[in-house]
Amino acid sequence: MINLDVLVVGDFDRDADGNVFGAYSTSVLIRTGDRKIVVDVGTKGTWPAIKTSFRQIGVFPEDVDTVVLTHSHHDHVENLDRFAGAKVLMHSGEERTIERAEIVDADTELTRGVRLVHTPGHTPGSMSVFVDADRRYAITGDAVPKRGNYDRMAPPAICSDPVAALKSIKDIIEYADVIVPGHDAPFAIR
Ligand SMILES: [Zn+2]
């Protein structure tokens, strides 16, 4: 049995003209029989919301054994120090170093039903987490930052490789029943 809880729904901060001036990521908790895994840890500003989610679910942040970073951008990694005891995993393609991170090469099965999948494009080392729970979830980070990227089949606005990004979106669609985007609410695609 695998449980998946969205701790906070990410978004972009926009001014009155719609220009993006900030960002905070979606953060997800995956619980299996013996593992507690968090995918992306969000920004300092969203920590109160993440902490409240932990309380409502009845899990302590200290009990998280593994943090998966979909990529190294600051809006996905700021609360790492809240998970001091957890192993941190990041893909080898990322250029920015995160001191604590152990480097993995997707595709890797983290535990039964939880798979790390290389979905490059937004950054060279972007990865998604595919979770086979009650439905098939893809926690995508910024491989799919917004629902609109799926609707329009459009690579992320910030993109190191648009061709790879489009292939990554296709790989995600092929697997997922539900997409959990990096900066948007989850949505079902089948
Ligand atoms: Zn990013």
Side-chain angles (χ1 to χ4, degrees):
M1 172 80 179
I2 298 180
N3 288 298
L4 186 147
D5 292 284
V6 177
L7 299 167
V8 72
V9 172
D11 203 347
F12 294 116
D13 300 310
R14 293 178 193 274
D15 65 17
D17 298 323
N19 301 310
V20 172
F21 66 89
Y24 51 97
S25 78
T26 297
S27 182
V28 178
L29 173 67
I30 303 162
R31 284 175 290 161
T32 70
D34 56 351
R35 301 287 299 272
K36 293 181 180 64
I37 300 157
V38 166
V39 183
D40 286 345
V41 292
T43 58
K44 301 274 186 216
T46 55
W47 179 251
I50 293 171
K51 197 167 71 173
T52 300
S53 294
F54 271 108
R55 284 183 177 155
Q56 287 170 341
I57 295 160
V59 169
F60 299 103
E62 309 84 81
D63 292 340
V64 170
D65 57 82
T66 306
V67 169
V68 178
L69 301 175
T70 59
H71 62 298
S72 59
H73 285 165
H74 73 93
D75 53 315
H76 296 252
V77 310
E78 279 184 9
N79 291 313
L80 261 188
D81 56 347
R82 304 284 186 172
F83 302 94
K87 178 159 76 167
V88 179
L89 303 177
M90 193 172 79
H91 190 266
S92 58
E94 286 298 279
E95 284 155 4
R96 194 174 154 226
T97 22
I98 304 272
E99 218 169 282
R100 277 174 58 199
E102 289 176 31
I103 299 306
V104 296
D105 279 308
D107 302 359
T108 305
E109 189 171 55
L110 198 50
T111 184
R112 198 184 159 84
V114 181
R115 201 148 47 92
L116 308 184
V117 180
H118 190 205
T119 50
H122 174 63
T123 62
S126 282
M127 62 182 179
S128 297
V129 184
F130 287 4
V131 185
D132 199 354
D134 56 326
R135 306 176 74 176
R136 284 161 33 134
Y137 296 84
I139 305 163
T140 64
D142 293 349
V144 183
K146 282 286 192 187
R147 181 177 184 144
N149 297 90
Y150 164 78
D151 290 340
R152 300 191 315 274
M153 286 303 284
I158 298 168
C159 199
S160 68
D161 182 343
V163 175
L166 213 51
K167 177 174 186 306
S168 293
I169 294 175
K170 285 176 184 157
D171 290 347
I172 287 162
I173 291 170
E174 197 172 301
Y175 170 79
D177 298 322
V178 177
I179 294 177
V180 185
H183 296 276
D184 214 344
F187 59 94
I189 61 172
R190 51 173 80 89

